[in-house]
Amino acid sequence: MQARTSCTFDLPTARRGPKAKKKATSDSNTPRFSEIPPLRFDGPSTSNSLDLGSSTTQEHWKSTTGIAIDSSLLPHTVAQSSIQPSPEGLKPSALQRWEQLDLFFEYLYPLTPLVHEPSFRDNLAYFVPSNRAPHLEKCADAAFTLITAVCAEAAFLLPKDIFPSGETVADSFLRASRSCLAEYLETDLENPNASSITIRYFHSNCVHASGKPKFSWHIFGEATRLAQVMRLHDELSYDGLYPIEAEMRRRVFWIVYMGDKSAAILNNRPITMHKYSFERGVTAAYPSGIEEESHTPISPNSVRSSEPASPKRQKLILGFNANIRLWGAAADLLLALRVMEDQCRAAGDGGVLTSLSAQQRQIIDPLYISFITSLDDLPSFLKSRSISSAPDSETVESNQFLIQCANLQVSMHCLRMVVVQKFEHLSYLTAGIEQTDLQKTDIVRDALRVMHEVPFWALQVNGEPYVEKLRLIGASLMAIIHRNPTSPIAARARGDFDVLLDVLTRLDSKASDALRNHSSWIL
């Protein structure tokens, strides 16, 4: 101060807070996640551990991922660098044994048509040498995750008679798929596409089949939330997408929508997706089967398929859409009844709906008719009466229709049982409880007739949800037996229960012990 000089500060001013991190520079030859079709996002990848380029070599992909993958799953062009087996001791990898993939498309695709086969096999050729030109439609990690998820689905769900070695490779495929997904999880959640939901749906199915229903429900919840955040309920969300991606998104949305209803009815889970969940309801159109138009491009740099279109696949979409209508109609009816029960509770009537007013019947009648007639327009090859009249010669196409028919028909009878139970105290369908019990036994016999008409493997392929439907029917029979111990109705119910118990025993469900012994079976 005595020198009479002013203090000056020559350092540049800076903002308070932690220093900003420098953005990592990317290789100009490596495309951003947003540039990989069919995604439509502008931001860069949030994962720095992935090489997202489709030109990545197999060896480089293996060396840059920190995935704990069983070497038996990898083709030797990838695995040799790490395990170096002797040439004379080489055995084909689990992925190179195409058996489980072919079996998936033959037996499981009719129920879960969530994979575009031409591009799927192009992606597979990237990992497994074949006479097919490799072409990745997505990053290598995402492609590998989907491939191993499909293999796991086949290994867990197909019966031993169809896929004898499934049990020996199931856990390895599931671990590999979930481990690979974990490597790019954040990127996938921020930039989801149809495969993001498909992968989680398959993981949920596999975990459910292994006897872990709560863990399965958690994984299914991830698929549900992705469908919600992608706004797949809104038809406008499909604008600007390439046709195949749009088709796959429709399928994954509707299968999650159906799975949500199935879990609510069969496992007493809360409904998380219904028309009241969204401000403008559900406007998404049903799948169209456009996937099977052989020259439809998947993305801007897509390799156009030279394979002929498959009319049978479009027929399978008819059965898939019929399943959507069935579960949607049942959910609408049961939700309307729940609203009426809530109104009754709010009015101070004890919350027990004992009868329907004329105004309530005007609401329920069209919903019930819509549900009970939801399968009336099925094509002949999906109607149960066509099963017994089908020719003895089996083809892939006829087997696929059998699988869909078994699923649709038993689902209908299971849902009829649920609806009748909801109505039994309302005198809506019958005048008394005995008449209601008699009607229930008729429903059981309709379901048993379908199960006897189709081959047993068609029941097995339908998986754990099928077992849960049969358990619901069995619980209804037990209630009839306890309520009418000396009535001829009880004798009928006991006979049908013995038959049903035999079917359940033969299905040998791994998840049976984890399922509830008693349930209200309501939404």
Side-chain angles (χ1 to χ4, degrees), residues 257-295:
Y257 182 87
M258 285 190 293
D260 183 65
K261 310 299 171 294
S262 174
I265 294 173
L266 301 178
N267 287 323
N268 217 15
R269 305 295 188 193
I271 290 183
T272 57
M273 295 183 71
H274 54 77
K275 60 185 179 182
Y276 301 119
S277 301
F278 311 107
E279 184 177 354
R280 298 182 180 178
V282 177
T283 60
Y286 286 175
S288 64
I290 191 175
E291 166 207 9
E292 308 312 333
E293 297 179 12
S294 59
H295 297 294

Side-chain angles (χ1 to χ4, degrees), residues 173-225:
F173 276 122
L174 182 59
R175 282 196 303 269
S177 187
R178 289 191 60 75
S179 176
C180 195
L181 175 61
E183 288 295 308
Y184 67 103
L185 180 62
E186 183 178 339
T187 301
D188 191 51
L189 292 175
E190 289 295 329
N191 304 276
N193 64 357
S195 293
S196 305
I197 301 176
T198 298
I199 289 166
R200 288 164 173 82
Y201 184 80
F202 286 160
H203 288 175
S204 176
N205 287 347
C206 295
V207 173
H208 194 180
S210 68
K212 301 173 183 176
K214 294 178 182 177
F215 186 23
S216 170
W217 174 246
H218 173 81
I219 299 172
F220 181 80
E222 294 181 11
T224 300
R225 286 187 289 278

Side-chain angles (χ1 to χ4, degrees), residues 319-521:
F320 183 78
N321 291 346
N323 214 16
I324 298 171
R325 290 195 304 272
L326 172 62
W327 285 93
D332 288 345
L333 174 59
L334 294 171
L335 279 170
L337 286 171
R338 170 176 282 187
V339 170
M340 292 177 183
E341 290 172 350
D342 288 344
Q343 291 173 341
C344 182
R345 187 179 301 110
D349 296 332
V352 179
L353 191 66
T354 56
S355 63
L356 295 178
S357 66
Q359 184 178 7
Q360 289 171 329
R361 281 181 173 271
Q362 289 180 352
I363 297 173
I364 294 298
D365 286 348
L367 292 175
Y368 177 74
I369 293 171
S370 176
F371 160 68
I372 213 69
T373 61
S374 58
L375 298 184
D376 283 4
D377 294 332
L378 281 179
S380 59
F381 52 83
L382 289 177
K383 293 183 177 178
S384 59
R385 62 175 177 270
S386 67
I387 300 175
S388 56
S389 59
D392 294 334
S393 58
E394 291 186 0
T395 63
V396 171
E397 183 176 0
S398 64
N399 285 343
Q400 290 177 328
F401 294 148
L402 278 175
I403 294 166
Q404 282 194 333
C405 183
N407 180 45
L408 284 168
Q409 298 299 330
V410 171
S411 293
M412 166 57 90
H413 300 315
C414 171
L415 291 171
R416 283 174 61 202
M417 182 71 76
V418 173
V419 170
V420 169
Q421 287 178 333
K422 290 292 291 182
F423 280 144
E424 64 184 0
H425 298 298
L426 301 178
S427 299
Y428 179 78
L429 298 175
T430 56
I433 194 68
E434 286 193 349
Q435 289 89 337
T436 300
D437 286 345
L438 189 61
Q439 185 180 15
K440 289 179 183 178
T441 61
D442 288 338
I443 293 173
V444 173
R445 294 196 165 191
D446 287 340
L448 291 175
R449 175 180 50 79
V450 173
M451 287 185 279
H452 284 132
E453 287 176 349
V454 301
F456 191 71
W457 59 260
L459 308 184
Q460 292 174 303
V461 166
N462 272 273
E464 290 300 328
Y466 210 79
V467 173
E468 291 169 348
K469 294 166 192 173
L470 300 187
R471 286 172 61 90
L472 184 151
I473 293 173
S476 300
L477 287 174
M478 289 295 293
I480 292 172
I481 294 170
H482 287 301
R483 190 159 51 210
N484 308 276
T486 60
S487 171
I489 298 176
R492 170 190 271 204
R494 285 191 191 95
D496 293 340
F497 182 80
D498 290 341
V499 176
L500 188 66
L501 189 60
D502 178 64
V503 174
L504 281 169
T505 302
R506 292 175 62 197
L507 285 174
D508 190 25
S509 165
K510 293 181 181 178
S512 289
D513 293 338
L515 297 176
R516 293 168 291 111
N517 293 323
H518 302 285
S519 171
S520 57
W521 306 110

Side-chain angles (χ1 to χ4, degrees), residues 289-317:
I290 191 175
E291 166 207 9
E292 308 312 333
E293 297 179 12
S294 59
H295 297 294
T296 301
I298 303 169
S299 57
N301 65 344
S302 177
V303 176
R304 292 174 180 264
S305 173
S306 59
E307 298 178 1
S310 176
K312 72 176 182 181
R313 290 283 175 85
Q314 283 193 309
K315 287 185 177 181
L316 291 176
I317 292 301

